[in-house]
Amino acid sequence: MLRYLLYKEINEEKWNDCVSASTERIVYAFSWYLNTVCMRWDAVVEEQEGRYVSVFPLPLGRRWGQLGVLQPYFTQQLGLFTTKNTKHKNIEAYFELIPDRCKSIYLQLNTENSKVIADVEKYDQAERVTFHLDLKPKYEDLLNSYRNRHKLNKAKRASLQIKPLDNINPLVSIFKATKGKELREVKEKHYRLLARLYAILKQQNAAELLQAVDHEENTLAAALFIVQPEKIIFLFSGSSEEGRKAAAMTLILDHVISRYAGSNRVLDFEGSMVPSVAKFYANFGAAPVAYVSLSKQHKPWYLKWKEAISIS
């Protein structure tokens, strides 16, 4: 039987055991991750003989002043997580238990959900794409699959070095000075959230923070990776203007690929829907993998009225 559980009713040990055993296992769904990126989250859970056998996290937030189920920052995919004992595999059954008080809904399901999802009534569906690189082959074979080697050669000619970074502030500073200026929706609260998330990932031995430095030890680029037994996620990165010219991010990614080559892992580049970024990831030999977003928007009467006035 499926049940809607408030956060205070969720047994986190049972929850994490279910996520660990799930076919769709991904770091974003563990309770410690959700506790960090969400102000609050509830869930729909299937329980059998005292164990959770499927879970569907519902991160809660507010849009236009109304409560909704909304995808958190730094969390590309959630959705349904099932085990071999799951009886309820119809995603619509989980959505039906979302309370009516949640007026707006926007959720990005995981890539495994995308293989079985059918039309979910009342929700708009859109396909999104991430890029995966299988790291099982040895590094020489992965290197040969690169579609554009000149950037890597450029970075090597610049004599850049890859070093660990134990503080996320340099990465945040680089991002603020470059891409952050273009993204007005990214605010100080999001940078604070990233710092908290990095601290939690370190506690879980799941963070790898790397930098590319020049001969004067200046940080030209930095990137945060989430390292899990089955997957490495390219979570957040920043590159200075000098770093872009020297292809510093290419060198960081190549370092990660060479380090984990031959392992039973996948490098998840976390996107992108932007063609130029997608091409950059594809140049490493990564392949596009689809996932689906589901949304239902409810605007309060006063916003509908305002829009009607503006177009009349």
Side-chain angles (χ1 to χ4, degrees):
M1 185 175 105
L2 298 180
R3 291 191 299 148
Y4 184 97
L5 298 182
L6 301 173
Y7 173 71
K8 63 183 179 182
E9 299 173 317
I10 296 170
N11 182 306
E12 293 193 31
E13 183 177 356
K14 292 180 182 180
W15 179 278
N16 290 328
D17 286 344
C18 180
V19 173
S20 292
S22 70
T23 303
E24 305 83 2
R25 173 188 166 117
I26 198 167
V27 66
Y28 312 118
F30 286 102
S31 65
W32 53 266
Y33 198 102
L34 291 166
N35 289 342
T36 306
V37 297
C38 301
M39 293 290 290
R40 175 188 155 189
W41 58 282
D42 294 345
V44 176
V45 168
E46 179 185 2
E47 189 169 6
Q48 294 177 16
E49 299 178 352
R51 294 181 300 159
Y52 293 171
V53 295
S54 69
V55 294
F56 195 100
L58 298 170
L60 302 178
R62 290 195 174 272
R63 178 176 291 176
W64 300 312
Q66 296 180 323
L67 184 67
V69 178
L70 304 172
Q71 195 80 13
Y73 270 77
F74 308 115
T75 309
Q76 187 194 61
Q77 301 169 32
L78 287 173
L80 177 60
F81 296 83
T82 61
T83 64
K84 63 181 181 180
N85 295 315
T86 301
K87 293 182 179 178
H88 298 276
K89 296 186 178 181
N90 183 348
I91 289 178
E92 189 167 10
Y94 295 80
F95 273 87
E96 286 175 353
L97 293 182
I98 297 175
D100 291 338
R101 68 177 183 274
C102 296
K103 301 299 183 183
S104 295
I105 294 174
Y106 178 78
L107 276 178
Q108 294 175 181
L109 308 182
N110 59 69
T111 55
E112 294 299 314
N113 290 168
S114 301
K115 297 174 183 177
V116 297
I117 189 170
D119 290 335
V120 179
E121 293 183 5
K122 302 179 184 178
Y123 293 89
D124 294 325
Q125 212 176 117
E127 185 177 275
R128 303 180 64 84
V129 175
T130 185
F131 279 79
H132 286 180
L133 178 64
D134 186 348
L135 296 174
K136 290 187 185 71
K138 59 184 181 180
Y139 174 65
E140 291 75 14
D141 293 335
L142 292 170
L143 182 62
N144 287 333
S145 70
Y146 288 11
R147 299 177 188 173
N148 188 345
R149 295 275 290 274
H150 84 271
K151 284 191 174 181
L152 179 59
N153 294 334
K154 180 192 291 187
K156 290 181 176 179
R157 286 195 301 269
S159 299
L160 303 184
Q161 287 186 297
I162 305 301
K163 293 186 175 182
L165 189 61
D166 60 4
N167 189 319
I168 202 165
N169 291 336
L171 169 53
V172 171
S173 296
I174 289 174
F175 186 87
K176 281 183 177 180
T178 53
K179 195 66 177 177
K181 290 182 177 179
E182 304 171 17
L183 302 175
R184 295 188 177 182
E185 68 272 20
V186 181
K187 311 205 180 282
E188 284 299 322
K189 66 179 181 180
H190 300 121
Y191 296 121
R192 292 194 295 270
L193 171 58
L194 179 63
R196 291 198 303 273
L197 181 56
Y198 171 60
I200 294 297
L201 289 167
K202 282 183 67 177
Q203 288 180 12
Q204 296 290 329
N205 294 316
E208 186 160 351
L209 186 58
L210 299 172
Q211 61 178 330
V213 301
D214 62 16
H215 64 282
E216 295 180 346
E217 296 293 315
N218 296 311
T219 301
L220 301 189
L224 174 59
F225 297 86
I226 301 177
V227 180
Q228 295 279 275
E230 70 287 345
K231 181 175 283 189
I232 299 167
I233 297 173
F234 183 33
L235 186 70
F236 192 82
S237 64
S239 185
S240 68
E241 193 59 40
E242 296 82 0
R244 286 187 182 133
K245 291 177 182 177
M249 193 58 63
T250 295
L251 194 64
I252 289 176
L253 287 166
D254 177 72
H255 173 86
V256 171
I257 291 168
S258 65
R259 179 173 176 181
Y260 292 102
S263 69
N264 192 30
R265 287 183 168 98
V266 167
L267 174 56
D268 186 344
F269 287 87
E270 263 212 347
S272 167
M273 301 300 289
V274 179
S276 60
V277 180
K279 182 179 179 181
F280 176 68
Y281 297 154
N283 282 340
F284 289 94
V289 180
Y291 63 100
V292 172
S293 68
L294 294 176
S295 61
K296 180 180 74 172
Q297 303 302 326
H298 173 85
K299 294 184 180 180
W301 67 268
Y302 53 84
L303 283 181
K304 292 181 180 178
W305 171 79
K306 184 177 179 181
E307 289 180 354
I309 293 294
S310 67
I311 62 175
S312 60

